[in-house]
Amino acid sequence: MPNVFAVPVFFIVFRETLETAIIASILLSFLKQTFDTPESDRTAYVRLRRHVWLGLISGMFIVLAVGGGMIGAFYGLGVDAWAQSENIWEGVFCLVASIIITVMGAAILRVSKLQSKWQKRITLALQAPSKGTTFGQKLEKYSLFILPFITVLREGLEAVIFVGGVGLSYPASAFPIPVLTGLLAGSVIGVILYKGGNRFHLQIFLIVSTCFLYLVAAGLFSRGVLTLEMHQYGKLVGGDVAETGVGPGSYDIRQSVWHVNCCSPTFNGGGGWGIFNALFGWTNSATYGSVISYNIYWIAVIIYFLYRYFKERKEADTVSESDTEASKINRNIEAKTPQQTGVDVDEKSA
Amino acid sequence: MKSLAVALPILSLVSTALAKTVTYDFNVTYTEANPDGQFSRRVIGINGKWPIPTIDVEKGDRLVVNLFNGLPDADTSLHFHGLFQNGTAHMDGPAKVTQCALGPGQRMTYNFTINQPGTYWYHSHVKGQYPDGIRGPLIVRDPKGPYAGKYDEEVIIALSDWYHDENPVLFSKFLSVGNPTGAEPVPNSALMNETQEMPFNVLPGKTYLVRMVNMAAFAAQYFWIEGHTMRIIEVDGEYTEEAEADMIYFTAAQRYSFLLTTRNDTSENFAIVGSMDQDLFDVVPDGLNPNVTGHLIYDASKPLPEPSFVDEFEPFDDFGLTPLDGEDLWEDPTYSFSLEVMMDNLGDGANYAFFNGFTYVAPKVPTLYTALKSGNLSLTPEIYGRDTIPHVFKHHDVVELIVNNNDPGKHPFHLHGHTFQLAYRSDVDAGLYDASDSSVTFAQKPMRRDTVLINPGGNMVLRFRADNPGVWLFHCHIEWHIQSGLIATFIEAPDVLQSTLKIPQDHLDVCNGQNLPAAGNAAGNTQDYLDLRGQNLSPAPLPAGFTARGIVALVFSVVAAFLGIAVIALYGSQELKQKAA
């Protein structure tokens, strides 16, 4: 299964899609609230909504083209160059992937924080004073196109780079399915957010998926250390250690904490043990390095989240009981007329 | 009984009249050599010279070797390969078996009578020392033998292999965690009479007795002489009926003598080729020349031809040889046992060789000395130590030894103190020997030799009569496998030894000089021979799956993961509370 479904790739695509979907939903609800009122111009609303969708779609298109090209080129050129010292690259990429997932994973958990962050940014962008130059004016006129376009481009290219980085240790066949399912899952969550579905259930879902995300990252971290150790061992043995199968000689006894002559997540494709490895970091041959790194990873994650938990609880207590940042900003936007924002709804340009 | 007592002095008078004493003074020293012309290195020579001398005696002679260890940093000993040492078991030479190894500056004397004609060799029997150079032919000429008069001249050709690195260096890499597959170091060259381009000047129309020995550490060689047929008459010191061969396969330590009749014209010269069997090598290094070439020179002014290409190696099968004395297969064995050969890794990560699940580890006391001093317990195998892999035979037992090779490699097995009958040898990958298999048929007049090849994944049946009291090793003659423990110890009629054998003082002094025990069981216990606490043992086996430490590690990891998930869920639930608010 690791050969057709790269779990980290799924989570990265999911995360980036979700972020894009949040932006899109904020923009669309903003338009709806501001322009889709009985007294405002309906055509302007339709035109601006088209701008948003155009921005999203064209951004998406470019990302797919660039991303496909990059990953294609990478597999076309890169893999052979790295095959010589496969273990060292695989180890480094596992560690990189683990760190990327760890850093970006927390954001999914606080989807309302993510929403409020984008609300703030979008508001700032829409409120930016006009520069007066023609180019600036043009930019302003199409800002509801440019904003989603740039965002999708930025998030998308970020995803491509992350997917590339995370997926280096996977064969090309492991990409398409997680990319598609990640896109789908992210979009579905985005729609749920926009439609204002059951946020409670959504949050439960996000908590569960974040837990999986961190299990994956912990496993990757441990596997990265293990693979680097295997690289060292391979240098000592002077051959391809994988050739020796799963029995004696396939591992460095001096570092071994446990070893069973079966259940290998890598030998002969890994089978079910490969899934077990991708989700939970299982290995049939654990070393001091891999066990200690796995535990240290979790200790670091625990300390970080506890810190965030207590910090945010304190903040929530001190700010105010009823007002969250997000609702304040929401009200801010509502208080302003469209004419006062940076978006100059120019009838003539229609 | 009385007549025998009278007859003996007369016999010995007769033999002393004919036989002579041949004495060699050997000082083992380092010297330099470059036999393959590629690399000059330190070698172990004798009296400052290398190659070391050929020991050349006649049947019935007494051989005296005064050995001095002039090596500043290594032990040594000499083993006279193929000589039975019947009555002189303490002269056999393997360290920690029939003597203590000579430390630097020590000396001792080997002194025994040789009644076996044939082609032998002698070499150090300390660890993997002989590949560093201390190996040479030992020829026992037989002017009154059955083939006397059928040849004009005797010639010796010794095959060997050669390493550019010294054995201790190679060994430390071989038996280590860095070599988990147990890949044996591959020789850098093949040699013929310790050189390359060996000339063999012949006259036309003559017959030569060519005595050949493979003194290699590892490599077997295919051997042939272009344009000539070899008529085998001896294997490992046993005369055979004449058998024609175009190509002979020499495992390490095997010997053949053959009659070579030269052509009547001198119009051309012929290549003599030895080609290392590359099946033995895990990886054939780039640039290895597996061949060594010499020349049968009829006319030195004519060119020396390059050997021509052979499509396939089709060597003579030694199983088909018949001993000249026509000895029948020993029937009804009184002691039958089997040895299972396999390779596996132990807890130190290195790859060892096993007989019946044990890998040889030398005892603290030479096994022969244990046998001599243990009284009635000498027939109890346990006193010789678990990892000497001991088997005790009673005097005149007919021994049947079944060897099952569970390893995919070829192994040349050698027995000290005997030649054995090769009753049966299976093909490659025949699996375990099955006595009830009707397709298994024993040779009726089996070939006898002291070193025999077992096929990869195959089996063989050897028989011999325990008529030679002593302590004899049975081992693979690939030096790497000696070092990884493919050795068993056969203790033969120790009760008879106790009444017949006396160890010379200079042998005991070798142990005493190094404060090594010369009495006691394998653990050096002289009080209670059944108490083997402290015996030398092999490294522990690899841990099996989850040991305590593995379970602790796994539990800790699982707990850490669950705690982490709990904290993530706690943090995520803040959002739920805010939603609720």
Side-chain angles (χ1 to χ4, degrees):
Chain A
M1 171 159 143
N3 288 335
V4 290
F5 195 93
V7 178
V9 170
F10 168 79
F11 278 110
I12 286 171
V13 173
F14 170 63
R15 156 73 161 80
E16 300 295 342
T17 311
L18 180 62
E19 189 145 9
T20 311
I22 286 170
I23 294 157
S25 72
I26 289 169
L27 282 171
L28 290 174
S29 32
F30 163 74
L31 285 179
K32 202 174 172 65
Q33 278 166 10
T34 320
F35 296 103
D36 196 17
T37 52
E39 64 269 26
S40 71
D41 186 348
R42 175 82 188 153
T43 52
Y45 168 66
V46 171
R47 182 168 54 82
L48 288 171
R49 201 175 59 180
R50 200 168 60 220
H51 278 190
V52 171
W53 280 114
L54 268 176
L56 285 172
I57 290 165
S58 50
M60 191 80 86
F61 181 77
I62 290 175
V63 162
L64 285 178
V66 170
M70 268 174 69
I71 290 178
F74 153 70
Y75 271 97
L77 306 170
V79 170
D80 281 349
W82 287 329
Q84 285 298 315
S85 41
E86 202 187 311
N87 272 338
I88 194 167
W89 287 113
E90 188 180 331
V92 169
F93 295 147
C94 283
L95 291 179
V96 168
S98 168
I99 290 164
I100 290 172
I101 294 176
T102 306
V103 170
M104 58 191 280
I108 300 182
L109 214 46
R110 303 307 308 271
V111 73
S112 66
K113 266 200 176 305
L114 206 61
Q115 275 179 305
S116 57
K117 179 188 89 179
W118 280 109
Q119 226 144 23
K120 210 190 289 180
R121 281 198 199 165
I122 289 165
T123 312
L124 285 174
L126 295 176
Q127 280 173 335
S130 131
K131 295 257 170 67
T133 60
T134 34
F135 183 66
Q137 276 165 354
K138 272 233 162 69
L139 265 182
E140 276 167 22
K141 204 157 69 180
Y142 295 107
S143 64
L144 279 176
F145 166 80
I146 288 164
L147 192 65
F149 177 73
I150 295 286
T151 309
V152 169
L153 216 54
R154 205 184 70 94
E155 298 296 317
L157 289 178
E158 190 176 288
V160 165
I161 289 164
F162 285 170
V163 164
V166 167
L168 283 172
S169 48
Y170 292 91
S173 61
F175 283 79
I177 297 175
V179 168
L180 288 177
T181 49
L183 281 170
L184 197 68
S187 315
V188 167
I189 305 281
V191 170
I192 292 173
L193 283 175
Y194 178 65
K195 296 280 182 198
N198 190 327
R199 296 292 294 268
F200 186 82
H201 287 154
L202 178 68
Q203 185 60 23
I204 297 287
F205 171 78
L206 290 176
I207 289 173
V208 171
S209 51
T210 309
C211 289
F212 270 108
L213 190 58
Y214 278 85
L215 279 169
V216 167
L220 276 174
F221 195 72
S222 168
R223 188 175 129 206
V225 171
L226 186 66
T227 315
L228 289 179
E229 286 181 331
M230 283 309 282
H231 174 71
Q232 286 301 111
Y233 183 57
K235 274 208 303 202
L236 177 76
V237 172
D240 190 356
V241 178
E243 273 176 23
T244 52
V246 295
S250 65
Y251 62 103
D252 188 347
I253 180 65
R254 296 167 303 176
Q255 306 295 330
S256 180
V257 175
W258 76 68
H259 179 93
V260 285
N261 293 342
C262 72
C263 321
S264 162
T266 52
F267 187 61
N268 282 342
W273 297 108
I275 302 169
F276 203 25
N277 170 268
L279 289 182
F280 303 112
W282 159 257
T283 172
N284 66 316
S285 189
T287 63
Y288 286 104
S290 71
V291 168
I292 290 169
S293 60
Y294 188 81
N295 284 282
I296 281 182
Y297 177 86
W298 277 117
I299 289 167
V301 165
I302 288 168
I303 289 172
Y304 173 72
F305 276 105
L306 281 180
Y307 166 75
R308 287 283 298 270
Y309 174 75
F310 286 113
K311 190 172 162 231
E312 284 173 25
R313 214 168 64 165
K314 214 168 153 193
E315 279 169 3
D317 287 346
T318 48
V319 173
S320 87
E321 277 115 1
S322 57
D323 275 9
T324 64
E325 250 183 299
S327 60
K328 254 195 253 171
I329 292 164
N330 268 340
R331 256 179 283 145
N332 256 348
I333 297 170
E334 282 158 24
K336 288 174 181 168
T337 65
Q339 279 73 24
Q340 284 169 307
T341 66
V343 187
D344 200 1
V345 186
D346 188 351
E347 238 74 1
K348 285 162 274 169
S349 71
Chain B
M1 197 68 200
K2 199 153 210 164
S3 63
L4 199 75
V6 177
L8 266 175
I10 297 166
L11 270 176
S12 62
L13 267 178
V14 172
S15 62
T16 44
L18 295 169
K20 58 188 184 300
T21 297
V22 181
T23 304
Y24 290 88
D25 293 315
F26 283 169
N27 178 8
V28 180
T29 53
Y30 288 120
T31 178
E32 283 282 320
N34 183 6
D36 60 3
Q38 296 175 23
F39 186 79
S40 182
R41 54 157 284 188
R42 187 172 80 162
V43 300
I44 299 178
I46 283 178
N47 301 333
K49 289 207 181 73
W50 190 88
I52 65 172
T54 293
I55 294 179
D56 199 333
V57 297
E58 257 179 41
K59 184 184 171 187
D61 282 352
R62 171 166 293 275
L63 174 66
V64 176
V65 176
N66 297 309
L67 182 67
F68 175 77
N69 181 7
L71 301 173
D73 56 357
D75 293 348
T76 197
S77 80
L78 285 184
H79 166 59
F80 306 89
H81 184 117
L83 299 182
F84 298 155
Q85 303 285 10
N86 200 333
T88 49
H90 53 301
M91 299 297 180
D92 194 43
K96 291 292 181 195
V97 180
T98 62
Q99 64 169 89
C100 291
L102 280 73
Q106 289 193 307
R107 60 176 75 245
M108 71 178 262
T109 298
Y110 295 97
N111 180 344
F112 50 91
T113 306
I114 304 176
N115 285 312
Q116 299 165 255
T119 310
Y120 305 91
W121 61 304
Y122 71 106
H123 58 81
S124 160
H125 215 298
V126 172
K127 296 187 187 110
Q129 193 174 56
Y130 81 72
D132 282 336
I134 181 164
R135 57 186 185 193
L138 189 162
I139 305 301
V140 186
R141 302 194 191 266
D142 192 10
K144 294 191 185 112
Y147 287 99
K150 295 198 173 162
Y151 50 87
D152 302 296
E153 206 180 316
E154 291 185 41
V155 180
I156 301 164
I157 299 178
L159 302 171
S160 56
D161 56 10
W162 192 244
Y163 291 88
H164 291 165
D165 290 308
E166 293 186 30
N167 182 275
V169 177
L170 293 171
F171 174 68
S172 65
K173 289 184 199 151
F174 165 66
L175 200 73
S176 80
V177 68
N179 184 23
T181 59
E184 301 84 1
V186 175
N188 298 92
S189 302
L191 299 177
M192 216 177 259
N193 282 348
E194 305 287 31
T195 183
Q196 294 184 326
E197 299 296 330
M198 176 202 72
F200 179 3
N201 292 300
V202 290
L203 296 171
K206 299 263 185 199
T207 296
Y208 294 84
L209 172 62
V210 183
R211 297 179 174 276
M212 289 196 60
V213 47
N214 184 0
M215 309 190 298
F218 180 20
Q221 285 193 36
Y222 297 96
F223 177 88
W224 67 98
I225 302 173
E226 291 187 351
H228 292 74
T229 307
M230 303 172 278
R231 283 175 287 144
I232 297 168
I233 58 158
E234 178 222 330
V235 275
D236 296 357
E238 298 283 1
Y239 284 118
T240 66
E241 289 178 6
E242 232 177 80
E244 282 202 358
D246 293 321
M247 181 185 284
I248 303 178
Y249 185 83
F250 284 83
T251 74
Q254 283 187 331
R255 290 94 60 207
Y256 286 87
S257 292
F258 57 84
L259 299 175
L260 175 75
T261 301
T262 51
R263 299 184 163 212
N264 287 323
D265 69 291
T266 61
S267 59
E268 55 177 323
N269 300 319
F270 295 88
I272 304 173
V273 193
S275 183
M276 294 196 285
D277 178 3
Q278 298 183 73
D279 287 354
L280 295 165
F281 307 153
D282 244 48
V283 176
V284 179
D286 289 340
L288 174 74
N289 176 8
N291 299 333
V292 56
T293 310
H295 286 96
L296 204 61
I297 301 171
Y298 284 87
D299 181 348
S301 66
K302 298 258 163 46
L304 301 177
E306 288 289 310
S308 41
F309 208 77
V310 285
D311 292 327
E312 211 176 339
F313 294 115
E314 284 171 352
F316 182 83
D317 183 359
D318 59 340
F319 187 78
L321 290 169
T322 309
L324 194 62
D325 59 15
E327 187 187 72
D328 290 322
L329 176 71
W330 288 102
E331 297 288 358
D332 306 320
T334 56
Y335 188 103
S336 179
F337 67 113
S338 72
L339 292 174
E340 307 288 327
V341 179
M342 66 172 288
M343 307 280 173
D344 202 1
N345 297 53
L346 287 180
D348 60 357
N351 190 270
Y352 289 84
F354 297 81
F355 275 136
N356 295 347
F358 294 100
T359 182
Y360 182 86
V361 179
K364 287 183 173 165
V365 177
T367 307
L368 178 65
Y369 297 174
T370 301
L372 289 174
K373 294 281 175 62
S374 52
N376 291 335
L377 287 171
S378 67
L379 292 165
T380 310
E382 286 73 27
I383 67 168
Y384 302 105
R386 186 195 79 180
D387 287 349
T388 63
I389 312 172
H391 287 267
V392 180
F393 310 142
K394 291 201 233 15
H395 206 197
H396 302 307
D397 265 340
V398 173
V399 181
E400 176 182 73
L401 167 55
I402 295 153
V403 184
N404 287 311
N405 182 9
N406 301 298
D407 181 67
K410 299 174 180 172
H411 297 279
F413 281 111
H414 167 51
L415 176 60
H416 289 221
H418 290 275
T419 52
F420 44 73
Q421 297 179 330
L422 180 60
Y424 174 73
R425 175 167 59 197
S426 82
D427 284 336
V428 175
D429 289 331
L432 302 183
Y433 171 70
D434 177 6
S436 63
D437 185 344
S438 57
S439 70
V440 171
T441 45
F442 284 180
Q444 286 314 298
K445 294 186 188 300
M447 171 205 53
R448 297 195 304 275
R449 65 187 315 167
D450 63 44
T451 307
V452 69
L453 176 77
I454 190 168
N455 284 315
N459 61 68
M460 62 181 183
V461 179
L462 313 178
R463 285 193 184 166
F464 59 95
R465 195 157 167 266
D467 55 3
N468 184 10
V471 175
W472 312 116
L473 294 185
F474 178 76
H475 64 84
C476 175
H477 219 293
I478 291 174
E479 278 296 86
W480 305 113
H481 297 165
I482 289 193
Q483 291 178 288
S484 62
L486 200 51
I487 305 175
T489 309
F490 296 166
I491 300 106
E492 190 168 324
D495 45 342
V496 178
L497 276 178
Q498 287 174 356
S499 60
T500 56
L501 204 65
K502 190 174 182 317
I503 305 297
Q505 190 57 41
D506 67 329
H507 286 220
L508 296 174
D509 286 345
V510 171
C511 301
N512 298 337
Q514 302 173 84
N515 289 322
L516 295 171
N521 63 14
N525 190 332
T526 53
Q527 303 304 312
D528 180 0
Y529 272 74
L530 292 172
D531 178 2
L532 283 146
R533 277 176 298 175
Q535 66 175 322
N536 295 336
L537 293 174
S538 59
L542 281 171
F546 283 96
T547 56
R549 127 183 106 169
I551 292 166
V552 168
L554 190 61
V555 167
F556 260 86
S557 301
V558 170
V559 168
F562 272 108
L563 278 179
I565 288 169
V567 171
I568 290 170
L570 176 72
Y571 177 71
S573 68
Q574 256 186 324
E575 189 107 348
L576 292 177
K577 278 187 216 134
Q578 285 166 9
K579 295 283 137 46

